[in-house]
Tab-separated table of all heavy atoms in Angstrom:
chain	number	residue	atom	x	y	z
A	162	LEU	N	147.922	130.068	90.911
A	162	LEU	CA	147.129	128.850	90.709
A	162	LEU	C	148.020	127.669	90.342
A	162	LEU	O	147.813	126.551	90.823
A	162	LEU	CB	146.086	129.075	89.609
A	162	LEU	CG	144.800	129.802	90.008
A	162	LEU	CD1	143.952	130.098	88.785
A	162	LEU	CD2	144.001	128.981	91.015
A	163	ILE	N	149.005	127.932	89.494
A	163	ILE	CA	149.933	126.866	89.101
A	163	ILE	C	150.751	126.411	90.307
A	163	ILE	O	150.975	125.208	90.498
A	163	ILE	CB	150.856	127.340	87.950
A	163	ILE	CG1	150.013	127.541	86.686
A	163	ILE	CG2	151.978	126.331	87.693
A	163	ILE	CD1	150.745	128.206	85.544
A	164	ARG	N	151.156	127.361	91.125
A	164	ARG	CA	151.884	127.020	92.359
A	164	ARG	C	151.024	126.136	93.256
A	164	ARG	O	151.480	125.097	93.747
A	164	ARG	CB	152.273	128.320	93.086
A	164	ARG	CG	153.150	128.145	94.323
A	164	ARG	CD	152.392	128.034	95.626
A	164	ARG	NE	151.483	129.140	95.850
A	164	ARG	CZ	150.559	129.150	96.789
A	164	ARG	NH1	150.375	128.070	97.575
A	164	ARG	NH2	149.742	130.180	96.948
A	165	LEU	N	149.767	126.515	93.442
A	165	LEU	CA	148.847	125.749	94.282
A	165	LEU	C	148.604	124.363	93.686
A	165	LEU	O	148.556	123.360	94.409
A	165	LEU	CB	147.522	126.512	94.415
A	165	LEU	CG	146.487	125.983	95.404
A	165	LEU	CD1	147.013	126.014	96.828
A	165	LEU	CD2	145.196	126.797	95.324
A	166	PHE	N	148.478	124.302	92.378
A	166	PHE	CA	148.260	123.026	91.687
A	166	PHE	C	149.460	122.096	91.872
A	166	PHE	O	149.298	120.901	92.163
A	166	PHE	CB	148.020	123.289	90.195
A	166	PHE	CG	147.619	122.066	89.412
A	166	PHE	CD1	146.309	121.611	89.427
A	166	PHE	CD2	148.549	121.374	88.655
A	166	PHE	CE1	145.929	120.489	88.699
A	166	PHE	CE2	148.181	120.251	87.923
A	166	PHE	CZ	146.864	119.812	87.950
A	167	ASN	N	150.660	122.629	91.716
A	167	ASN	CA	151.881	121.816	91.852
A	167	ASN	C	152.088	121.312	93.282
A	167	ASN	O	152.690	120.256	93.493
A	167	ASN	CB	153.109	122.630	91.417
A	167	ASN	CG	153.158	122.839	89.908
A	167	ASN	OD1	152.631	122.024	89.145
A	167	ASN	ND2	153.769	123.928	89.476
A	168	GLU	N	151.566	122.065	94.249
A	168	GLU	CA	151.701	121.667	95.656
A	168	GLU	C	150.652	120.639	96.082
A	168	GLU	O	150.720	120.101	97.190
A	168	GLU	CB	151.573	122.899	96.560
A	168	GLU	CG	152.750	123.864	96.470
A	168	GLU	CD	152.513	125.125	97.299
A	168	GLU	OE1	151.412	125.235	97.912
A	168	GLU	OE2	153.408	125.986	97.336
A	169	THR	N	149.686	120.378	95.210
A	169	THR	CA	148.556	119.512	95.571
A	169	THR	C	148.777	118.080	95.095
A	169	THR	O	148.982	117.839	93.908
A	169	THR	CB	147.250	120.062	94.955
A	169	THR	OG1	147.034	121.400	95.412
A	169	THR	CG2	146.060	119.206	95.367
A	170	ASP	N	148.729	117.156	96.050
A	170	ASP	CA	148.804	115.730	95.732
A	170	ASP	C	147.385	115.164	95.712
A	170	ASP	O	146.760	115.024	96.770
A	170	ASP	CB	149.652	114.995	96.772
A	170	ASP	CG	149.710	113.484	96.531
A	170	ASP	OD1	149.217	113.041	95.468
A	170	ASP	OD2	150.241	112.763	97.394
A	171	PRO	N	146.836	114.842	94.542
A	171	PRO	CA	145.438	114.406	94.462
A	171	PRO	C	145.165	113.091	95.183
A	171	PRO	O	144.002	112.779	95.478
A	171	PRO	CB	145.197	114.263	92.957
A	171	PRO	CG	146.549	114.071	92.363
A	171	PRO	CD	147.483	114.845	93.222
A	172	ASP	N	146.208	112.333	95.472
A	172	ASP	CA	146.027	111.031	96.131
A	172	ASP	C	146.041	111.130	97.661
A	172	ASP	O	145.820	110.127	98.344
A	172	ASP	CB	147.128	110.054	95.686
A	172	ASP	CG	147.067	109.770	94.196
A	172	ASP	OD1	145.938	109.674	93.665
A	172	ASP	OD2	148.130	109.669	93.561
A	173	ARG	N	146.275	112.326	98.177
A	173	ARG	CA	146.412	112.460	99.635
A	173	ARG	C	145.071	112.340	100.354
A	173	ARG	O	144.936	111.590	101.311
A	173	ARG	CB	147.076	113.793	99.992
A	173	ARG	CG	147.481	113.876	101.468
A	173	ARG	CD	148.281	115.119	101.751
A	173	ARG	NE	147.475	116.324	101.646
A	173	ARG	CZ	147.957	117.544	101.860
A	173	ARG	NH1	149.233	117.720	102.145
A	173	ARG	NH2	147.170	118.599	101.763
A	174	ASP	N	144.073	113.088	99.901
A	174	ASP	CA	142.732	113.039	100.516
A	174	ASP	C	141.719	113.647	99.551
A	174	ASP	O	142.073	114.124	98.468
A	174	ASP	CB	142.707	113.777	101.872
A	174	ASP	CG	143.249	115.193	101.779
A	174	ASP	OD1	143.009	115.853	100.752
A	174	ASP	OD2	143.933	115.637	102.720
A	175	ASP	N	140.441	113.642	99.957
A	175	ASP	CA	139.368	114.154	99.086
A	175	ASP	C	139.520	115.646	98.796
A	175	ASP	O	139.253	116.105	97.681
A	175	ASP	CB	137.999	113.883	99.722
A	175	ASP	CG	137.627	112.411	99.673
A	175	ASP	OD1	138.285	111.660	98.921
A	175	ASP	OD2	136.703	112.002	100.405
A	176	GLN	N	139.918	116.416	99.832
A	176	GLN	CA	140.106	117.860	99.643
A	176	GLN	C	141.147	118.132	98.566
A	176	GLN	O	140.951	118.965	97.683
A	176	GLN	CB	140.550	118.505	100.970
A	176	GLN	CG	139.455	118.661	102.002
A	176	GLN	CD	138.561	119.859	101.742
A	176	GLN	OE1	138.881	120.754	100.971
A	176	GLN	NE2	137.404	119.882	102.380
A	177	SER	N	142.263	117.401	98.641
A	177	SER	CA	143.340	117.593	97.663
A	177	SER	C	142.908	117.171	96.264
A	177	SER	O	143.218	117.843	95.271
A	177	SER	CB	144.576	116.791	98.089
A	177	SER	OG	145.031	117.204	99.362
A	178	MET	N	142.175	116.067	96.190
A	178	MET	CA	141.694	115.584	94.895
A	178	MET	C	140.765	116.613	94.250
A	178	MET	O	140.874	116.901	93.053
A	178	MET	CB	140.957	114.260	95.072
A	178	MET	CG	140.449	113.652	93.769
A	178	MET	SD	139.516	112.129	94.028
A	178	MET	CE	138.058	112.773	94.878
A	179	ASN	N	139.841	117.183	95.046
A	179	ASN	CA	138.918	118.196	94.531
A	179	ASN	C	139.653	119.465	94.112
A	179	ASN	O	139.317	120.078	93.095
A	179	ASN	CB	137.863	118.533	95.592
A	179	ASN	CG	136.775	117.480	95.670
A	179	ASN	OD1	136.216	117.082	94.656
A	179	ASN	ND2	136.475	116.999	96.860
A	180	ARG	N	140.636	119.859	94.894
A	180	ARG	CA	141.412	121.050	94.560
A	180	ARG	C	142.147	120.850	93.226
A	180	ARG	O	142.139	121.716	92.354
A	180	ARG	CB	142.419	121.341	95.675
A	180	ARG	CG	143.140	122.680	95.522
A	180	ARG	CD	144.169	122.860	96.609
A	180	ARG	NE	143.606	122.587	97.913
A	180	ARG	CZ	144.314	122.241	98.980
A	180	ARG	NH1	145.625	122.085	98.879
A	180	ARG	NH2	143.736	122.027	100.142
A	181	PHE	N	142.769	119.689	93.089
A	181	PHE	CA	143.491	119.338	91.868
A	181	PHE	C	142.556	119.398	90.655
A	181	PHE	O	142.861	120.007	89.632
A	181	PHE	CB	144.078	117.925	92.025
A	181	PHE	CG	145.010	117.486	90.937
A	181	PHE	CD1	146.374	117.694	91.044
A	181	PHE	CD2	144.526	116.845	89.806
A	181	PHE	CE1	147.247	117.277	90.041
A	181	PHE	CE2	145.375	116.424	88.794
A	181	PHE	CZ	146.748	116.640	88.918
A	182	PHE	N	141.382	118.783	90.800
A	182	PHE	CA	140.404	118.717	89.713
A	182	PHE	C	139.906	120.103	89.320
A	182	PHE	O	139.870	120.452	88.136
A	182	PHE	CB	139.234	117.824	90.125
A	182	PHE	CG	138.068	117.870	89.180
A	182	PHE	CD1	138.099	117.161	87.991
A	182	PHE	CD2	136.940	118.630	89.484
A	182	PHE	CE1	137.018	117.204	87.110
A	182	PHE	CE2	135.865	118.683	88.611
A	182	PHE	CZ	135.911	117.971	87.416
A	183	HIS	N	139.495	120.916	90.307
A	183	HIS	CA	138.873	122.205	90.003
A	183	HIS	C	139.877	123.206	89.426
A	183	HIS	O	139.507	124.014	88.554
A	183	HIS	CB	138.209	122.782	91.248
A	183	HIS	CG	136.906	122.124	91.576
A	183	HIS	ND1	135.796	122.216	90.772
A	183	HIS	CD2	136.539	121.339	92.629
A	183	HIS	CE1	134.796	121.529	91.303
A	183	HIS	NE2	135.221	120.989	92.427
A	184	ILE	N	141.115	123.186	89.891
A	184	ILE	CA	142.115	124.089	89.305
A	184	ILE	C	142.374	123.703	87.857
A	184	ILE	O	142.455	124.559	86.971
A	184	ILE	CB	143.425	124.071	90.124
A	184	ILE	CG1	143.192	124.655	91.523
A	184	ILE	CG2	144.511	124.888	89.408
A	184	ILE	CD1	144.380	124.549	92.451
A	185	GLN	N	142.489	122.395	87.612
A	185	GLN	CA	142.709	121.918	86.244
A	185	GLN	C	141.535	122.297	85.338
A	185	GLN	O	141.726	122.760	84.208
A	185	GLN	CB	142.912	120.399	86.241
A	185	GLN	CG	143.353	119.844	84.903
A	185	GLN	CD	143.645	118.359	84.952
A	185	GLN	OE1	143.400	117.696	85.952
A	185	GLN	NE2	144.186	117.821	83.874
A	186	GLN	N	140.314	122.122	85.842
A	186	GLN	CA	139.121	122.438	85.050
A	186	GLN	C	138.946	123.939	84.830
A	186	GLN	O	138.352	124.355	83.828
A	186	GLN	CB	137.877	121.874	85.746
A	186	GLN	CG	137.753	120.364	85.697
A	186	GLN	CD	137.566	119.839	84.290
A	186	GLN	OE1	136.642	120.227	83.580
A	186	GLN	NE2	138.459	118.958	83.862
A	187	SER	N	139.446	124.750	85.749
A	187	SER	CA	139.264	126.205	85.640
A	187	SER	C	139.879	126.750	84.355
A	187	SER	O	139.384	127.735	83.786
A	187	SER	CB	139.861	126.918	86.858
A	187	SER	OG	141.269	126.766	86.894
A	188	LEU	N	140.935	126.093	83.875
A	188	LEU	CA	141.579	126.552	82.636
A	188	LEU	C	140.627	126.491	81.445
A	188	LEU	O	140.782	127.234	80.481
A	188	LEU	CB	142.827	125.712	82.336
A	188	LEU	CG	144.165	126.298	82.819
A	188	LEU	CD1	144.192	126.374	84.344
A	188	LEU	CD2	145.337	125.476	82.331
A	189	LEU	N	139.643	125.612	81.518
A	189	LEU	CA	138.686	125.475	80.420
A	189	LEU	C	137.667	126.618	80.399
A	189	LEU	O	136.915	126.771	79.433
A	189	LEU	CB	137.945	124.138	80.522
A	189	LEU	CG	138.815	122.878	80.606
A	189	LEU	CD1	137.928	121.641	80.704
A	189	LEU	CD2	139.746	122.772	79.412
A	190	HIS	N	137.648	127.430	81.469
A	190	HIS	CA	136.660	128.512	81.578
A	190	HIS	C	137.284	129.900	81.474
A	190	HIS	O	136.576	130.870	81.220
A	190	HIS	CB	135.908	128.396	82.909
A	190	HIS	CG	135.154	127.111	83.063
A	190	HIS	ND1	133.881	126.932	82.586
A	190	HIS	CD2	135.513	125.923	83.622
A	190	HIS	CE1	133.474	125.692	82.844
A	190	HIS	NE2	134.446	125.070	83.477
A	191	PHE	N	138.590	130.002	81.669
A	191	PHE	CA	139.246	131.306	81.601
A	191	PHE	C	139.311	131.812	80.156
A	191	PHE	O	139.363	131.009	79.220
A	191	PHE	CB	140.672	131.223	82.167
A	191	PHE	CG	140.739	130.942	83.645
A	191	PHE	CD1	141.855	130.310	84.190
A	191	PHE	CD2	139.708	131.307	84.500
A	191	PHE	CE1	141.935	130.040	85.548
A	191	PHE	CE2	139.772	131.038	85.855
A	191	PHE	CZ	140.892	130.409	86.383
A	192	PRO	N	139.322	133.148	79.969
A	192	PRO	CA	139.457	133.697	78.610
A	192	PRO	C	140.721	133.172	77.930
A	192	PRO	O	141.787	133.113	78.542
A	192	PRO	CB	139.558	135.208	78.858
A	192	PRO	CG	138.866	135.418	80.164
A	192	PRO	CD	139.167	134.204	80.981
A	193	ILE	N	140.593	132.799	76.687
A	193	ILE	CA	141.687	132.141	75.965
A	193	ILE	C	142.918	133.043	75.837
A	193	ILE	O	144.066	132.564	75.846
A	193	ILE	CB	141.208	131.660	74.567
A	193	ILE	CG1	142.157	130.578	74.015
A	193	ILE	CG2	141.041	132.825	73.605
A	193	ILE	CD1	142.113	129.279	74.751
A	194	GLN	N	142.708	134.367	75.760
A	194	GLN	CA	143.841	135.287	75.623
A	194	GLN	C	144.762	135.216	76.838
A	194	GLN	O	145.993	135.284	76.709
A	194	GLN	CB	143.345	136.737	75.433
A	194	GLN	CG	142.540	136.973	74.177
A	194	GLN	CD	141.075	136.610	74.320
A	194	GLN	OE1	140.641	136.127	75.382
A	194	GLN	NE2	140.294	136.840	73.266
A	195	ILE	N	144.170	135.070	78.020
A	195	ILE	CA	144.965	134.989	79.246
A	195	ILE	C	145.770	133.693	79.268
A	195	ILE	O	146.938	133.671	79.688
A	195	ILE	CB	144.049	135.081	80.491
A	195	ILE	CG1	143.456	136.493	80.592
A	195	ILE	CG2	144.803	134.738	81.771
A	195	ILE	CD1	142.364	136.644	81.606
A	196	LEU	N	145.162	132.605	78.808
A	196	LEU	CA	145.854	131.316	78.772
A	196	LEU	C	147.010	131.357	77.772
A	196	LEU	O	148.102	130.857	78.055
A	196	LEU	CB	144.880	130.197	78.400
A	196	LEU	CG	143.707	129.956	79.357
A	196	LEU	CD1	142.843	128.811	78.846
A	196	LEU	CD2	144.204	129.655	80.766
A	197	ILE	N	146.776	131.960	76.629
A	197	ILE	CA	147.832	132.034	75.602
A	197	ILE	C	149.006	132.882	76.086
A	197	ILE	O	150.173	132.529	75.883
A	197	ILE	CB	147.259	132.590	74.277
A	197	ILE	CG1	146.291	131.565	73.662
A	197	ILE	CG2	148.372	132.929	73.284
A	197	ILE	CD1	145.500	132.085	72.478
A	198	SER	N	148.697	133.992	76.761
A	198	SER	CA	149.774	134.861	77.253
A	198	SER	C	150.578	134.206	78.374
A	198	SER	O	151.699	134.628	78.674
A	198	SER	CB	149.202	136.202	77.732
A	198	SER	OG	148.383	136.022	78.872
A	199	ASN	N	150.016	133.167	78.990
A	199	ASN	CA	150.724	132.446	80.055
A	199	ASN	C	151.055	131.003	79.639
A	199	ASN	O	151.295	130.148	80.490
A	199	ASN	CB	149.877	132.425	81.329
A	199	ASN	CG	149.816	133.778	82.015
A	199	ASN	OD1	150.705	134.148	82.774
A	199	ASN	ND2	148.758	134.518	81.732
A	200	GLU	N	151.066	130.752	78.336
A	200	GLU	CA	151.241	129.385	77.832
A	200	GLU	C	152.539	128.748	78.300
A	200	GLU	O	152.571	127.553	78.655
A	200	GLU	CB	151.181	129.367	76.306
A	200	GLU	CG	151.265	127.959	75.737
A	200	GLU	CD	150.979	127.905	74.249
A	200	GLU	OE1	150.752	128.977	73.627
A	200	GLU	OE2	150.977	126.789	73.699
A	201	LYS	N	153.621	129.498	78.335
A	201	LYS	CA	154.928	128.926	78.698
A	201	LYS	C	154.913	128.303	80.087
A	201	LYS	O	155.362	127.173	80.276
A	201	LYS	CB	156.012	130.000	78.617
A	201	LYS	CG	156.430	130.318	77.188
A	201	LYS	CD	157.601	131.292	77.179
A	201	LYS	CE	158.043	131.584	75.736
A	201	LYS	NZ	159.168	132.546	75.699
A	202	ILE	N	154.398	129.028	81.073
A	202	ILE	CA	154.418	128.478	82.444
A	202	ILE	C	153.373	127.381	82.620
A	202	ILE	O	153.558	126.468	83.414
A	202	ILE	CB	154.248	129.580	83.523
A	202	ILE	CG1	152.916	130.331	83.355
A	202	ILE	CG2	155.407	130.548	83.531
A	202	ILE	CD1	152.581	131.233	84.528
A	203	ILE	N	152.280	127.461	81.869
A	203	ILE	CA	151.257	126.407	81.941
A	203	ILE	C	151.810	125.100	81.386
A	203	ILE	O	151.555	124.013	81.919
A	203	ILE	CB	149.981	126.825	81.173
A	203	ILE	CG1	149.281	127.986	81.890
A	203	ILE	CG2	149.004	125.645	81.036
A	203	ILE	CD1	148.138	128.610	81.104
């Protein structure tokens, strides 16, 4: 997901902007333990 996020330019088109937004927002819904265990790369 981080790889896909880094490859996405939100200013390129609507698809890219939506992809950028939804990947970023997904972190707010994932279990906190998974986010903490991956904190360094995030």
Side-chain angles (χ1 to χ4, degrees):
L162 279 173
I163 292 171
R164 185 267 306 168
L165 188 63
F166 187 81
N167 288 333
E168 290 175 359
T169 302
D170 177 8
D172 297 322
R173 191 173 69 180
D174 53 37
D175 288 346
Q176 285 280 345
S177 301
M178 182 183 68
N179 282 311
R180 188 183 311 157
F181 188 92
F182 170 79
H183 283 294
I184 294 174
Q185 189 176 7
Q186 288 295 304
S187 66
L188 264 65
L189 306 180
H190 299 274
F191 293 153
I193 199 69
Q194 297 83 358
I195 291 169
L196 298 180
I197 291 171
S198 66
N199 288 277
E200 184 171 2
K201 284 185 179 179
I202 60 169
I203 292 171

